[in-house]
Amino acid sequence: MSHPAPPRSHEPGTHPVRASAVAVAVTVACVLPVFLVGGLAVQMRDELGFSPAGLGLVVAVYFGVGALASVPSGALVERWGGAVVARSGILVSAACLLAVATLARSYPVLVGLLAVAGSANALGQLSSNALLARQVPARRQGLSFGVKQAAIPLSTLLAGAAVPALALTVGWRWAFVAAAGAALTTLPAVPAQSPPPRRRPAGRAGSTTPGLILAGVAATLAAGAANALGTFLVDASVDRGLGPALAGLTLTLGSAVCVAARIGAGWLADRRADGQLSVIAGMLVVGAVGLGLLAWAGPVPLVAGVLLGFGLGWSWPGLMNFAVVRLHPQAPAAATSITQTGVYAGGCLGPLTLGPLAAAAGYPTMWLTAAAAMLAAAVLMLTTTRLLPAPAPLAPPG
C-alpha cells in the first residue's frame, strides 16, 4: 500500500538557517509600512489631519487588502516560486514607504498607499512560507515558522525606535525613507532561485478544502480578538486609571511575551508529531481567559490578562502555518494563503467592530466580547481537526 508523500526536506544546496533568516527579513520588510505608520502616528496626524479613528481605518484597509490579495499571492508563489514573489513584495513595500515619505500630503493619499502596501504583506508572507516549506528540513520547520512570525511583533519595536531616532530629530518622512532603504537591503539576501514545486497542485480545489476554509474562519475570529490587545490595550489601561507610561510598558511586556511564545511554540512543535491544531485550540481557550481577565479592574488581572492573552492567545500564527504546511506539503503557499486570509480578515474586522463596541459599551464589555470570539475560534479549530487529513509521516533522519 502506498503512503502519502512525506514533507520534503531542504533541497540540495540550500541552507536551512539562511532560509530562516531570509524569511524573517522578507517578513519584516513587507510589514514595515503599517507598523511605521502606527509608531509615527502622533507625528503624522498633525500634518495629515487624522484622528485615532482614522488610524484604525488605515490599519483596517491595510489588512483588508492583504486578505483579498492572500489567495492570489499564494497562487503566484506556486507558479513562479518563493524567491520571485519575495522580491516583488520587498519592492512594492519599499516603493510604498518612499511614496509615503514624498507623496503623502493628505489623509486619503495615505490610505491609498497603505492599501497598496497591504498587497506587499500578502506577497511577503506567502513567499516566506514557501521558502521555509521547501528549504528547511521538516523536523525543524516548527521553530522556523515560529521565528518568522515572531519577527512581526519585533517590527513594532523597530517602529518604536524610529520615533526618537528619526521622527523627533529629522522628521517622520525621513523615517520612511530610512525604512525603504532598510527594506531594499534585504533584496540581495533572497536566493537567486527557489526550487519550484515538484508537481503542480491539481487546481485550486486541491488546496481550498472545507477544513482549510473552516480553519480560516477560526483564524478570523482569533486574530480579530487578539488584535484588540495591540490596538486597545494602552487606551483601555489608561481608561482604567493606569498612567500612560505604565500603560505603555504593559504593551511592551505583551510584545516581548508574544515574541518568546511564538518561538517557544515553534520549538515545541518540532518535538510533537501531530495534533498541532488541537494545541492551537487549547492556546485559544487560555488566551480567551486572558482577555476575560482584562475586563476586571486592578493590576493583577491586567498583568495576568496580558501574559495569557499575548502569550497564548496571540502566539499561534506560526504554529498554524507549520500545521497547514505539514498537511499540504505539495502546495504550501496555496494552502497557507487560505488561513492567512483569515488572519488578515481578523486584522481588518477586529478594530472596525470592537472599537465602536468599546466606545458604546465600555472596554470591559469589549474584552468579554473578544474573549467569546476567541472561544468560538477554539471550537471551530477543534472541528477543523476532523475535516483535514492526517499529516504525512516525517522522513526518518538521514
Side-chain angles (χ1 to χ4, degrees):
M1 180 182 295
S2 60
H3 295 283
R8 285 198 304 277
S9 179
H10 63 289
E11 301 288 342
T14 62
H15 303 279
V17 174
R18 181 174 181 268
S20 299
V22 169
V24 168
V26 171
T27 300
V28 172
C30 292
V31 301
L32 269 178
V34 70
F35 287 115
L36 206 56
V37 169
L40 303 178
V42 174
Q43 290 75 31
M44 296 177 67
R45 68 188 182 194
D46 292 336
E47 182 177 342
L48 301 183
F50 61 88
S51 63
L55 174 62
L57 178 60
V58 169
V59 174
V61 167
Y62 176 87
F63 284 111
V65 171
L68 294 175
S70 186
V71 171
S73 296
L76 287 175
V77 172
E78 297 297 346
R79 181 175 181 85
W80 300 106
V84 173
V85 177
R87 289 194 198 91
S88 301
I90 293 170
L91 289 173
V92 172
S93 179
C96 289
L97 289 165
L98 283 175
V100 170
T102 58
L103 301 177
R105 305 291 173 181
S106 66
Y107 176 70
V109 173
L110 178 66
V111 173
L113 292 174
L114 264 292
V116 177
S119 65
N121 190 3
L123 293 170
Q125 284 285 350
L126 276 303
S127 60
S128 58
N129 285 350
L131 288 171
L132 292 179
R134 296 196 172 108
Q135 297 189 12
V136 175
R139 296 180 182 277
R140 293 168 59 185
Q141 284 180 359
L143 178 60
S144 296
F145 278 107
V147 170
K148 181 188 85 88
Q149 294 301 134
I152 296 177
L154 275 177
S155 299
T156 62
L157 301 180
L158 294 176
V163 175
L166 293 170
L168 298 181
T169 55
V170 295
W172 65 265
R173 294 185 184 274
W174 284 105
F176 279 87
V177 173
L184 290 174
T185 61
T186 64
L187 280 174
V190 180
Q193 294 179 346
S194 63
R198 288 185 178 175
R199 62 181 174 87
R200 187 180 300 274
R204 182 177 294 183
S207 298
T208 309
T209 64
L212 273 179
I213 292 174
L214 189 61
V217 175
T220 299
L221 291 172
N227 262 313
L229 285 164
T231 305
F232 301 110
L233 180 62
V234 172
D235 193 54
S237 299
V238 172
D239 186 65
R240 301 297 288 269
L242 213 62
L246 193 55
L249 285 176
T250 61
L251 181 59
T252 303
L253 170 66
S255 298
V257 170
C258 187
V259 169
R262 290 186 179 198
I263 295 174
W267 181 80
L268 290 173
D270 286 332
R271 284 147 183 79
R272 182 183 175 92
D274 52 22
Q276 309 302 341
L277 295 179
S278 298
V279 172
I280 293 173
M283 295 167 73
L284 292 176
V285 170
V286 179
V289 172
L291 289 173
L293 287 174
L294 293 176
W296 297 86
V300 174
L302 174 64
V303 173
V306 167
L307 291 176
L308 295 178
F310 272 106
L312 291 171
W314 203 206
S315 59
W316 50 267
L319 195 58
M320 168 83 81
N321 285 334
F322 170 63
V324 173
V325 164
R326 279 216 59 203
L327 293 171
H328 302 83
Q330 300 299 336
T336 54
S337 71
I338 306 299
T339 51
Q340 197 65 46
T341 297
V343 173
Y344 288 149
C348 172
L349 298 176
L352 291 180
T353 56
L354 294 176
L357 177 62
Y363 277 114
T365 300
M366 187 208 73
W367 291 125
L368 292 175
T369 303
M374 193 167 280
L375 280 177
V379 173
L380 291 178
M381 198 64 70
L382 282 177
T383 306
T384 299
T385 61
R386 300 188 180 95
L387 299 178
L388 288 172
L394 291 176

